[in-house]
Amino acid sequence: MVVVGAGMGGLVLAHGLAANGIEVRVHERDARAADTGGYRLHLGPDACAALRHAVPAAVYQAVVASSAGAAGFRQFSMFDHRLRLLTSLATEPGENLLIGRVALRSLLADSLPTTTRFSSEFTTFSRSGKQITAHFADGTADDCDLLVGADGVRSRVVRQLAGRRLARALPERGFAGQAEWDDVASGMPEELLSGPAFVIGPDGVAMFLSAHDPSSSDIDPVAVGAPAQPATVLWGVISHDDVDVDAVARWAPWVRVLLDRTPAGAVTRFPFHAVDPAADLTPWQAGRVTALGDAVHAMPPTGGQGAGTAIRDAWLLASSLAAADVDTIPLAVRDYQRGMADYAAAAVRESLQPLRWRRAVSSPVGFGAVRVAAAVSSAVRALRRAAPSTAGR
């Protein structure tokens, strides 16, 4: 079998197939695993369970050792642009992992007990009976019984399968970066020590904040052969159009510190894409070519669901194929596509919700409501702090 794309979904699929004795080859256009964008990924309980099943125990231990500890993901907070707390919500119970994108991809690629061909750019596929042939930009080809596109939102596999791209560009744009923890720890909102936060600002601009400290993991990375990861504070700005740093630098003073101490080379700009969660995510007949991850259910990063959903796809597809033979591969693919549709559509909806919040408060009236909520919340917290001093009278 051939997998196009060595992202999280493609690599986990290759692990799962190899564990079941299925020959698999991975083709990736990047020159190496570390050549990837993005910063930090969230894997929820379902994704953690899928990953634990798909990879060897030693690899999973290395992943956990490279992740931030569970204490850093106990709640999700919302602030206004002055960093006044609006609300905090408990996170989903169960195992959650917060891990750097480069760290996870490298661990999965380096431990893969099969062939990964880097600098291999997929162009198209052809069919001949039960055989699929993947063609690459350097003129080479690879024959297989099943071709899986794990090649992202601009998937060439899906473009050929569906005759179009499934995802649409959203009106939002983003830019993100990260600063070293020690450079910005002073004045950091204490709520970030317990989990990420969403900041609602004026003019429809919002910000995501998250403190990331892998040293808080319960497992020593050196003991399991995992690379040590630095502690950082990650941030991402969401707006209706491309904006510069000044759009948020006039918010709370600590926000200015965070931006000023983020190296220019650590800032990335990116568009947002999403599929319609009410549409058919795989609008083709189940057969010997399919896809997973962002290729079929692209979603904005605002829900922290993309990588975890791709990993769930990978394990579901590997499990479906484990009991299949050459003749029943299309049936296994059909089962995978049906099972994936339910949870993937839900993940897309959840990831779109923060963008709806941003749009709801983009008007003066909407943002005025946020300011009132911030004032009320501040007053309630002040009363709660005062309560212990008067309770004994």
Side-chain angles (χ1 to χ4, degrees):
M1 298 184 183
V2 166
V3 177
V4 175
M8 309 311 161
L11 290 171
V12 172
L13 174 61
H15 271 282
L17 293 175
N20 284 296
I22 300 173
E23 181 183 357
V24 56
R25 296 174 298 281
V26 181
H27 293 262
E28 168 57 47
R29 66 181 180 182
D30 288 344
R32 58 190 184 125
D35 294 343
T36 182
Y39 300 97
R40 209 254 338 257
L41 303 173
H42 165 237
L43 307 183
D46 290 326
C48 288
L51 185 61
R52 188 188 290 273
H53 286 301
V55 303
V59 176
Y60 192 80
Q61 286 289 88
V63 170
V64 173
S66 298
S67 306
F73 197 72
R74 292 175 295 175
Q75 67 180 25
F76 182 85
S77 301
M78 291 183 66
F79 294 92
D80 76 344
H81 67 304
R82 301 299 184 191
L83 293 186
R84 292 175 295 190
L85 182 66
L86 299 175
T87 188
S88 291
L89 304 171
T91 54
E92 183 181 7
E95 185 176 18
N96 288 273
L97 292 179
L98 302 172
I99 184 170
R101 179 181 291 273
V102 173
L104 180 56
R105 193 187 192 200
S106 297
L107 286 169
L108 292 174
D110 293 347
S111 60
L112 191 61
T114 188
T115 301
T116 302
R117 183 182 170 196
F118 288 97
S119 299
S120 183
E121 181 181 356
F122 172 84
T123 56
T124 187
F125 66 84
S126 58
R127 307 175 193 258
S128 178
K130 296 179 181 179
Q131 178 178 287
I132 305 296
T133 301
H135 301 274
F136 301 90
D138 61 1
T140 60
D142 198 351
D143 298 330
C144 58
D145 299 316
L146 174 67
L147 174 68
V148 181
D151 47 343
V153 66
R154 295 181 177 86
S155 170
R156 292 179 177 176
V157 175
V158 165
R159 182 66 179 267
Q160 186 174 347
L161 264 178
R164 59 183 174 85
R165 286 179 179 158
L166 302 184
R168 70 189 190 281
L170 300 178
E172 284 80 9
R173 296 291 184 271
F175 62 97
Q178 59 183 347
E180 293 187 12
W181 182 296
D182 291 343
D183 290 344
V184 297
S186 178
M188 182 171 64
E190 64 179 13
E191 288 82 4
L192 293 185
L193 300 178
S194 300
F198 191 72
V199 185
I200 297 174
D203 302 321
V205 179
M207 191 174 195
F208 174 82
L209 297 170
S210 183
H212 183 66
D213 183 12
S215 67
S216 62
S217 173
D218 296 331
I219 301 175
D220 179 8
V222 176
V224 294
Q229 303 294 312
T232 59
V233 176
L234 302 100
W235 56 268
V237 173
I238 308 163
S239 74
H240 56 279
D241 200 353
D242 289 326
V243 296
D244 58 25
V245 172
D246 289 340
V248 292
R250 293 186 295 273
W251 292 5
W254 183 77
V255 173
R256 163 60 79 177
V257 172
L258 178 63
L259 297 174
D260 286 347
R261 296 182 182 177
T262 297
V267 178
T268 304
R269 293 181 179 270
F270 48 88
F272 285 5
H273 294 85
V275 298
D276 179 356
D280 184 358
L281 299 183
T282 53
W284 54 79
Q285 184 176 355
R288 297 182 180 276
V289 183
T290 190
L292 57 75
D294 283 348
V296 289
H297 48 63
M299 62 191 80
T302 42
Q305 297 273 345
T309 309
I311 289 172
R312 292 184 67 182
D313 295 349
W315 177 241
L316 177 59
L317 180 54
S319 300
S320 298
L321 291 168
D325 56 30
V326 173
D327 294 325
T328 59
I329 284 175
L331 296 177
V333 169
R334 181 200 63 187
D335 291 343
Y336 151 70
Q337 291 182 173
R338 288 178 175 176
M340 173 269 294
D342 290 337
Y343 64 78
V348 175
R349 293 188 184 95
E350 184 175 338
S351 297
L352 289 169
Q353 186 58 51
L355 301 185
R356 297 190 184 97
W357 296 338
R358 185 202 70 80
R359 295 165 191 165
V361 300
S362 60
S363 68
V365 172
F367 187 67
V370 171
R371 294 172 70 99
V372 170
V376 171
S377 179
S378 296
V380 169
R381 290 198 308 278
L383 288 172
R384 287 175 176 171
R385 287 194 298 268
S389 63
T390 60
R393 293 181 182 176

